[in-house]
Amino acid sequence: MKFLLLLFAVFALLWLLRRTVRSKLPPRAEAPPLNVPQEMVACAACGLHLPRAEALPGRGGVFCGEAHRTVFEATHPEA
């Protein structure tokens, strides 16, 4: 019986200690969501779809790379 009472006292002490430590810690910041949908756009030169954040803006639309933007702007001066 002494053993059970001692065991209960140890568990109660650990539980109280854990609650005290947790209450003094700052709250955790929530991690940003990983799978946020992004708007997809098509390259004006080749039609490749890519996220808007990765697209390069240019005259006549958005492009998948600097080479396509340069070629498109050279061949379409009116755009």
Side-chain angles (χ1 to χ4, degrees):
M1 185 69 177
K2 288 182 194 179
F3 180 71
L4 288 176
L5 188 58
L6 180 63
L7 190 61
F8 176 74
V10 169
F11 279 123
L13 182 63
L14 289 175
W15 180 73
L16 288 173
L17 186 63
R18 190 174 116 197
R19 279 188 53 195
T20 304
V21 169
R22 277 192 177 177
S23 66
K24 291 183 180 180
L25 292 176
R28 290 184 185 178
E30 289 189 32
L34 298 177
N35 296 327
V36 176
Q38 297 182 19
E39 180 185 1
M40 301 293 283
V41 294
C43 174
C46 66
L48 175 75
H49 285 85
L50 66 157
R52 180 172 288 284
E54 296 178 19
L56 298 174
R59 286 185 294 131
V62 293
F63 301 91
C64 61
E66 183 65 38
H68 280 180
R69 179 170 61 181
T70 304
V71 170
F72 185 88
E73 290 177 354
T75 58
H76 298 86
E78 71 281 349

